[in-house]
Amino acid sequence: MTGGEAEPVIRIDHDGPLEGEVRVPGAKNSVLKLMAATVLADGEFTLTNVPGIIDVDIMSQLLRSIGSTVESAGDGSLVIRHEGELSTEVSAELAGRLRASINLLGPLVARFGNIQIALPGGDDFGLRPIDMHISGLEAMGATCRFDAGILTVNAPRLRGADIRFSFPSVGATENLVSAAVFADGVTTIYGAAREPEVADLCNFLVAMGAQIEGIGESTLRITGVSRGGLHSASHRVVPDRIQAATYIASVAVAGGEVDMVDAQRNDMQMFLRRCSEMGLTFSDLDGGGLRVAASKRLAAVDVQTLPYPGVATDYKPLVIAMLSVADGSAVVTENLYPGRFKYVDELQALGAKIRMHEHHAEIRGVPRLQGASVTAHDIRAGAALVVAGLAADGITTISGVGHIDRGYDDLVGRLRDIGAGIRRD
Ligand code: EPU
């Protein structure tokens, strides 16, 4: 958007079932980490199935700002090149715009022995500390210092260590695996995060020559190879389970039957189980993907968020939007980010009956919501408002669309393709 242009809004005026086919793009929470991990080796990397989202643009700018070349080759692929030294001073302005900027920490320290980086930005749903990233690096021999919001890490040599997480942090697992690829000896991470996007990063690192055992499990064992021992690689980004869930939630409230090409059933089992209990049906597509069908009003089902393989916190706004029009009452409990309920006011403005008790939301379903003007405050909240708009009579107008653009590849276009009354103005 250039100066003088009005901020975009999404308008929804929808009635009737959704039908057709939608392709699920690559995962934001994988591609950003893959891009960061490329700094571990020289050469040319090609990432395919890259989603067209703003966060990829910001990570591209971050990589360029430290000396990499990043080019979009069209057709959803990204070519990244670097040769030799890269700057380890990361732009505070760019880092402040992207939570995943912190994913440069492990790779840059591993390869170049130091980094200066501002504390990461990203969605504002409460305190998001990085103490586990820091204590893991310290256990591997790094010295870490905070000064005026800037983290400085020095580690001329990292050594393998036993690291025990009290909580399976996604970002800390990713950073410490990346840090460990060149460490002297073996690093074992107990209680590691098991999310499909973490496994995708590990598989990419292995394709680059890293030695990692236990991928997808809660104990990861990384045997350091010599610095310079990794090489460039090509990789297809894992499909985005949260974008897939957004299309599922849309069908859930509007009814209908949609084929989601590339959706990965195995990556979203617990979420699908809850959706089945609510009354949705799923079947596998020939050639990969999932068909979702909704033929009746949803039933209310209690849901709580947990680290993978539990129901991810990122699904929760979608789940609350679904339950807002379900038959009966249900409680949704947030166990990861107690502050991640900001969109509840907006759903209430659309007529949802939600009562908050600390980190529990009690939702009493109503048959239909009512269109109104609402604002998206973060990516997933924005998606939930779109889903709610599909379940509303009258016109729903959503501002704060920039948040949705950070993580969704043409959500409006894809929903239009399956018959949704939605447009972007
Ligand atoms: N935590 C700590 N200390 C740490 C690290 C984490 O206390 O050192 C706490 C956090 O404050 C939070 C919880 O642990 O309460 C989860 O943090 P985690 O590190 O697992 O999450 P993250 O890496 O910061 C990623 C995704 C989030 C997603 C979470 C949980 C990216 C860029 N972000 O964040 O995605 O919600 O994992 O699955 O991968 C989104 O895509 O909308 C999004 C917010």
Side-chain angles (χ1 to χ4, degrees):
M1 197 175 53
T2 55
E5 272 179 46
E7 245 208 85
V9 290
I10 291 175
R11 272 183 231 287
I12 304 170
D13 184 3
H14 178 79
D15 194 15
L18 301 175
E19 307 283 347
E21 181 181 291
V22 63
R23 195 186 65 78
V24 178
K28 165 181 87 75
N29 288 347
S30 177
V31 68
L32 301 173
K33 324 318 176 49
L34 301 173
M35 291 172 75
T38 62
V39 306
L40 284 162
D42 281 343
E44 179 173 299
F45 298 80
T46 304
L47 299 176
T48 54
N49 202 30
V50 173
I53 58 174
I54 297 292
D55 276 7
V56 166
D57 297 341
I58 301 175
M59 185 56 98
S60 301
Q61 288 177 48
L62 262 171
L63 287 176
R64 288 188 195 111
S65 74
I66 60 170
S68 307
T69 308
V70 185
E71 282 164 11
S72 167
D75 70 358
S77 58
L78 205 60
V79 179
I80 302 172
R81 285 184 210 94
H82 9 248
E83 215 57 63
E85 286 291 308
L86 294 170
S87 168
T88 55
E89 280 182 35
V90 180
S91 150
E93 191 269 322
L94 290 171
R97 289 168 60 193
L98 186 67
R99 174 74 186 171
S101 56
I102 198 64
N103 276 75
L104 285 165
L105 176 62
L108 282 179
V109 171
R111 174 105 187 267
F112 300 108
N114 65 83
I115 192 171
Q116 264 188 39
I117 187 169
L119 288 183
D123 293 324
D124 175 17
F125 31 73
L127 203 57
R128 298 176 72 181
I130 55 164
D131 53 302
M132 293 164 67
H133 306 231
I134 302 301
S135 56
L137 284 173
E138 285 175 341
M140 297 170 76
T143 54
C144 306
R145 189 164 47 86
F146 278 106
D147 195 9
I150 304 287
L151 169 67
T152 305
V153 178
N154 277 295
R157 231 21 260 151
L158 289 171
R159 55 172 188 271
D162 281 354
I163 296 168
R164 286 170 207 282
F165 282 168
S166 53
F167 173 87
S169 158
V170 170
T173 303
E174 292 164 338
N175 262 330
L176 297 177
V177 169
S178 305
V181 295
F182 297 138
D184 290 330
V186 174
T187 301
T188 309
I189 305 175
Y190 298 97
R194 300 162 57 192
E195 272 70 0
E197 298 78 23
V198 178
D200 205 33
L201 171 67
C202 291
N203 287 325
F204 181 53
L205 293 171
V206 168
M208 290 170 67
Q211 290 188 19
I212 305 173
E213 291 165 62
I215 295 176
E217 296 168 18
S218 55
T219 302
L220 283 169
R221 191 180 143 90
I222 306 103
T223 305
V225 299
S226 63
R227 232 185 225 176
L230 295 194
H231 48 78
S232 60
S234 296
H235 187 83
R236 183 173 194 274
V237 181
V238 71
D240 192 325
R241 61 201 165 106
I242 316 294
Q243 290 193 65
T246 305
Y247 298 108
I248 292 173
S250 301
V251 173
V253 302
E257 186 174 287
V258 168
D259 288 357
M260 297 179 298
V261 176
D262 271 357
Q264 305 288 301
R265 182 192 278 270
N266 283 345
D267 291 350
M268 42 197 322
Q269 297 226 15
M270 207 58 94
F271 173 72
L272 296 183
R273 193 181 299 176
R274 291 289 166 273
C275 289
S276 301
E277 289 165 7
M278 288 184 211
L280 298 179
T281 54
F282 297 96
S283 51
D284 294 318
L285 296 180
D286 293 341
L290 209 51
R291 173 172 298 161
V292 53
S295 54
K296 53 183 190 290
R297 188 173 172 195
L298 297 172
V301 169
D302 293 344
V303 177
Q304 60 170 314
T305 65
L306 284 170
Y308 194 83
V311 176
T313 174
D314 295 337
Y315 297 127
K316 191 194 52 183
L318 301 168
V319 169
I320 293 185
M322 287 159 73
L323 291 171
S324 295
V325 288
D327 187 11
S329 293
V331 174
V332 173
T333 300
E334 169 66 60
N335 290 314
L336 277 90
Y337 297 109
R340 200 175 193 179
F341 276 113
K342 277 192 171 168
Y343 49 91
V344 163
D345 290 352
E346 309 294 315
L347 289 173
Q348 285 168 333
L350 294 171
K353 303 290 178 227
I354 306 172
R355 283 198 309 177
M356 294 301 306
H357 314 272
E358 297 170 345
H359 62 297
H360 308 281
E362 184 187 339
I363 304 112
R364 186 163 54 80
V366 294
R368 293 283 290 169
L369 299 177
Q370 295 301 321
S373 288
V374 289
T375 303
H377 294 293
D378 70 58
I379 304 175
R380 310 302 170 192
L385 294 177
V386 168
V387 170
L390 295 172
D393 290 330
I395 298 175
T396 300
T397 307
I398 303 171
S399 52
V401 172
H403 287 290
I404 298 174
D405 294 341
R406 283 188 41 212
Y408 281 88
D409 183 337
D410 194 17
L411 179 62
V412 168
R414 282 178 157 79
L415 283 171
R416 281 178 73 89
D417 286 349
I418 52 174
I422 183 169
R423 66 174 209 262
R424 183 183 174 114
D425 291 332

